[in-house]
Amino acid sequence: MTVAVIMGSPSDRAKMQDALDILAEFEIACESAVLSAHRSPEIVAEFVKSAPDRGIRIFICGAGMAAHLAGSVAGLTWLPVIGVPLSGSPLGGSDSLFSTVQMPKGVPVATVAIDGAYNAGLLAIQMLALSDAGLTQKLREFKQRQVVTIHEANNRFQNS
Ligand code: RP5
């Protein structure tokens, strides 16, 4: 396993699926789990501390409301942590955004957009590609496909 995708509740699963999908597209081995900074803090600590022995190199943590999962994980590991603030609360995700992004000096969480699980997965792939030439090539092709897609969309737009 290379990337751990964890979320605070089973209710987060659909929003975190995009991260699992893009990681699968790039054939990155993942493990995923429901772990709560508030409801199961000791299990979070065990999971994070044992992660390097399982080959985990990056954490992706998604949570909503008072979203402390990513920060809690970051406090327990030297591995990079990507935080995904999730919507769904009465505050629309701004609560989880602030809770995830406003980390104190010394404990970074690379925070993506609200419900930005896709980009979280992609960022993890980009980190892994720094030491993986095959993955770098796949990313180059991915970026090139985006160029072609938007270029073709512009052509259709200009001709409509
Ligand atoms: C957070 O509270 C979870 O990450 C979830 O987004 C939110 C609601 O959780 P449930 O009450 O649906 O389990 O901790």
Side-chain angles (χ1 to χ4, degrees), residues 7-12 36 38-39 62-66 86-87:
M7 59 206 83
S9 166
S11 63
D12 298 327
S36 170
H38 302 129
R39 292 164 172 161
M65 302 182 75
L86 299 178
S87 64

PDB file of all heavy atoms in Angstrom, residues 7-12 36 38-39 62-66 86-87, ligand 1:
ATOM      1  N   MET A   7     -11.309   8.632   6.102  1.00  0.00           N
ATOM      2  CA  MET A   7     -12.431   9.574   6.208  1.00  0.00           C
ATOM      3  C   MET A   7     -13.083   9.426   7.568  1.00  0.00           C
ATOM      4  O   MET A   7     -13.011   8.347   8.199  1.00  0.00           O
ATOM      5  CB  MET A   7     -13.442   9.346   5.084  1.00  0.00           C
ATOM      6  CG  MET A   7     -14.032   7.964   5.043  1.00  0.00           C
ATOM      7  SD  MET A   7     -14.602   7.485   3.385  1.00  0.00           S
ATOM      8  CE  MET A   7     -13.077   6.912   2.623  1.00  0.00           C
ATOM      9  N   GLY A   8     -13.729  10.507   8.005  1.00  0.00           N
ATOM     10  CA  GLY A   8     -14.237  10.558   9.363  1.00  0.00           C
ATOM     11  C   GLY A   8     -15.499   9.776   9.618  1.00  0.00           C
ATOM     12  O   GLY A   8     -15.819   9.478  10.777  1.00  0.00           O
ATOM     13  N   SER A   9     -16.215   9.440   8.555  1.00  0.00           N
ATOM     14  CA  SER A   9     -17.510   8.777   8.731  1.00  0.00           C
ATOM     15  C   SER A   9     -17.863   8.013   7.459  1.00  0.00           C
ATOM     16  O   SER A   9     -17.441   8.411   6.356  1.00  0.00           O
ATOM     17  CB  SER A   9     -18.588   9.842   9.009  1.00  0.00           C
ATOM     18  OG  SER A   9     -19.880   9.294   8.881  1.00  0.00           O
ATOM     19  N   PRO A  10     -18.664   6.962   7.593  1.00  0.00           N
ATOM     20  CA  PRO A  10     -19.158   6.305   6.374  1.00  0.00           C
ATOM     21  C   PRO A  10     -19.938   7.276   5.486  1.00  0.00           C
ATOM     22  O   PRO A  10     -19.997   7.087   4.270  1.00  0.00           O
ATOM     23  CB  PRO A  10     -20.078   5.200   6.910  1.00  0.00           C
ATOM     24  CG  PRO A  10     -19.666   4.980   8.312  1.00  0.00           C
ATOM     25  CD  PRO A  10     -19.126   6.284   8.822  1.00  0.00           C
ATOM     26  N   SER A  11     -20.494   8.326   6.095  1.00  0.00           N
ATOM     27  CA  SER A  11     -21.264   9.288   5.302  1.00  0.00           C
ATOM     28  C   SER A  11     -20.362  10.121   4.380  1.00  0.00           C
ATOM     29  O   SER A  11     -20.858  10.835   3.507  1.00  0.00           O
ATOM     30  CB  SER A  11     -22.084  10.214   6.215  1.00  0.00           C
ATOM     31  OG  SER A  11     -21.235  10.996   7.032  1.00  0.00           O
ATOM     32  N   ASP A  12     -19.047  10.031   4.568  1.00  0.00           N
ATOM     33  CA  ASP A  12     -18.105  10.761   3.708  1.00  0.00           C
ATOM     34  C   ASP A  12     -17.712   9.963   2.466  1.00  0.00           C
ATOM     35  O   ASP A  12     -17.014  10.483   1.586  1.00  0.00           O
ATOM     36  CB  ASP A  12     -16.813  11.073   4.483  1.00  0.00           C
ATOM     37  CG  ASP A  12     -17.045  11.966   5.684  1.00  0.00           C
ATOM     38  OD1 ASP A  12     -17.948  12.821   5.621  1.00  0.00           O
ATOM     39  OD2 ASP A  12     -16.315  11.805   6.682  1.00  0.00           O
ATOM     40  N   SER A  36     -12.119   8.230  12.927  1.00  0.00           N
ATOM     41  CA  SER A  36     -12.573   9.548  13.367  1.00  0.00           C
ATOM     42  C   SER A  36     -11.654  10.123  14.429  1.00  0.00           C
ATOM     43  O   SER A  36     -11.371   9.466  15.444  1.00  0.00           O
ATOM     44  CB  SER A  36     -14.000   9.428  13.922  1.00  0.00           C
ATOM     45  OG  SER A  36     -14.362  10.633  14.555  1.00  0.00           O
ATOM     46  N   HIS A  38     -12.426  12.336  16.432  1.00  0.00           N
ATOM     47  CA  HIS A  38     -13.214  12.585  17.649  1.00  0.00           C
ATOM     48  C   HIS A  38     -13.789  11.308  18.247  1.00  0.00           C
ATOM     49  O   HIS A  38     -13.849  11.157  19.462  1.00  0.00           O
ATOM     50  CB  HIS A  38     -14.369  13.548  17.330  1.00  0.00           C
ATOM     51  CG  HIS A  38     -13.913  14.850  16.767  1.00  0.00           C
ATOM     52  ND1 HIS A  38     -14.418  15.394  15.613  1.00  0.00           N
ATOM     53  CD2 HIS A  38     -12.948  15.712  17.193  1.00  0.00           C
ATOM     54  CE1 HIS A  38     -13.807  16.543  15.354  1.00  0.00           C
ATOM     55  NE2 HIS A  38     -12.917  16.755  16.290  1.00  0.00           N
ATOM     56  N   ARG A  39     -14.238  10.401  17.356  1.00  0.00           N
ATOM     57  CA  ARG A  39     -14.962   9.227  17.853  1.00  0.00           C
ATOM     58  C   ARG A  39     -14.050   8.024  18.091  1.00  0.00           C
ATOM     59  O   ARG A  39     -14.407   7.136  18.858  1.00  0.00           O
ATOM     60  CB  ARG A  39     -16.065   8.851  16.849  1.00  0.00           C
ATOM     61  CG  ARG A  39     -17.183   9.884  16.769  1.00  0.00           C
ATOM     62  CD  ARG A  39     -18.019   9.666  15.520  1.00  0.00           C
ATOM     63  NE  ARG A  39     -19.212  10.517  15.503  1.00  0.00           N
ATOM     64  CZ  ARG A  39     -19.905  10.788  14.399  1.00  0.00           C
ATOM     65  NH1 ARG A  39     -19.527  10.281  13.234  1.00  0.00           N
ATOM     66  NH2 ARG A  39     -20.975  11.560  14.453  1.00  0.00           N
ATOM     67  N   GLY A  62     -10.183  12.969   4.632  1.00  0.00           N
ATOM     68  CA  GLY A  62     -11.397  13.744   4.370  1.00  0.00           C
ATOM     69  C   GLY A  62     -12.313  13.726   5.577  1.00  0.00           C
ATOM     70  O   GLY A  62     -12.553  12.675   6.168  1.00  0.00           O
ATOM     71  N   ALA A  63     -12.800  14.909   5.937  1.00  0.00           N
ATOM     72  CA  ALA A  63     -13.749  14.993   7.054  1.00  0.00           C
ATOM     73  C   ALA A  63     -14.577  16.257   6.912  1.00  0.00           C
ATOM     74  O   ALA A  63     -14.153  17.226   6.267  1.00  0.00           O
ATOM     75  CB  ALA A  63     -13.025  14.980   8.399  1.00  0.00           C
ATOM     76  N   GLY A  64     -15.751  16.211   7.523  1.00  0.00           N
ATOM     77  CA  GLY A  64     -16.633  17.370   7.500  1.00  0.00           C
ATOM     78  C   GLY A  64     -16.772  17.978   8.881  1.00  0.00           C
ATOM     79  O   GLY A  64     -16.195  17.514   9.859  1.00  0.00           O
ATOM     80  N   MET A  65     -17.530  19.044   8.941  1.00  0.00           N
ATOM     81  CA  MET A  65     -17.836  19.773  10.191  1.00  0.00           C
ATOM     82  C   MET A  65     -16.546  20.254  10.879  1.00  0.00           C
ATOM     83  O   MET A  65     -15.700  20.842  10.235  1.00  0.00           O
ATOM     84  CB  MET A  65     -18.721  18.914  11.091  1.00  0.00           C
ATOM     85  CG  MET A  65     -20.032  18.506  10.391  1.00  0.00           C
ATOM     86  SD  MET A  65     -21.171  17.554  11.358  1.00  0.00           S
ATOM     87  CE  MET A  65     -21.829  18.827  12.433  1.00  0.00           C
ATOM     88  N   ALA A  66     -16.392  19.984  12.193  1.00  0.00           N
ATOM     89  CA  ALA A  66     -15.153  20.375  12.891  1.00  0.00           C
ATOM     90  C   ALA A  66     -14.097  19.349  12.510  1.00  0.00           C
ATOM     91  O   ALA A  66     -13.826  18.410  13.253  1.00  0.00           O
ATOM     92  CB  ALA A  66     -15.385  20.393  14.394  1.00  0.00           C
ATOM     93  N   LEU A  86     -14.828  18.565   3.739  1.00  0.00           N
ATOM     94  CA  LEU A  86     -16.039  18.062   3.093  1.00  0.00           C
ATOM     95  C   LEU A  86     -17.253  18.913   3.438  1.00  0.00           C
ATOM     96  O   LEU A  86     -17.401  19.408   4.564  1.00  0.00           O
ATOM     97  CB  LEU A  86     -16.286  16.609   3.514  1.00  0.00           C
ATOM     98  CG  LEU A  86     -15.174  15.624   3.123  1.00  0.00           C
ATOM     99  CD1 LEU A  86     -15.494  14.226   3.639  1.00  0.00           C
ATOM    100  CD2 LEU A  86     -14.967  15.606   1.611  1.00  0.00           C
ATOM    101  N   SER A  87     -18.126  19.059   2.462  1.00  0.00           N
ATOM    102  CA  SER A  87     -19.376  19.806   2.654  1.00  0.00           C
ATOM    103  C   SER A  87     -20.401  18.901   3.334  1.00  0.00           C
ATOM    104  O   SER A  87     -20.122  17.756   3.648  1.00  0.00           O
ATOM    105  CB  SER A  87     -19.903  20.281   1.299  1.00  0.00           C
ATOM    106  OG  SER A  87     -20.241  19.160   0.506  1.00  0.00           O
TER     107      SER A  87
HETATM  108  C1  RP5 B   1     -17.394  14.368  10.539  1.00  0.00           C
HETATM  109  O1  RP5 B   1     -18.709  14.626  10.821  1.00  0.00           O
HETATM  110  C2  RP5 B   1     -17.411  13.342   9.462  1.00  0.00           C
HETATM  111  O2  RP5 B   1     -16.240  13.412   8.692  1.00  0.00           O
HETATM  112  C3  RP5 B   1     -18.626  13.698   8.661  1.00  0.00           C
HETATM  113  O3  RP5 B   1     -18.320  14.537   7.554  1.00  0.00           O
HETATM  114  C4  RP5 B   1     -19.471  14.489   9.653  1.00  0.00           C
HETATM  115  C5  RP5 B   1     -20.780  13.818   9.966  1.00  0.00           C
HETATM  116  O4  RP5 B   1     -20.559  12.501  10.387  1.00  0.00           O
HETATM  117  P1  RP5 B   1     -21.769  11.515  10.642  1.00  0.00           P
HETATM  118  O5  RP5 B   1     -22.567  12.094  11.754  1.00  0.00           O
HETATM  119  O6  RP5 B   1     -22.560  11.435   9.346  1.00  0.00           O
HETATM  120  O7  RP5 B   1     -21.142  10.187  11.009  1.00  0.00           O
HETATM  121  O8  RP5 B   1     -16.707  13.885  11.657  1.00  0.00           O
END
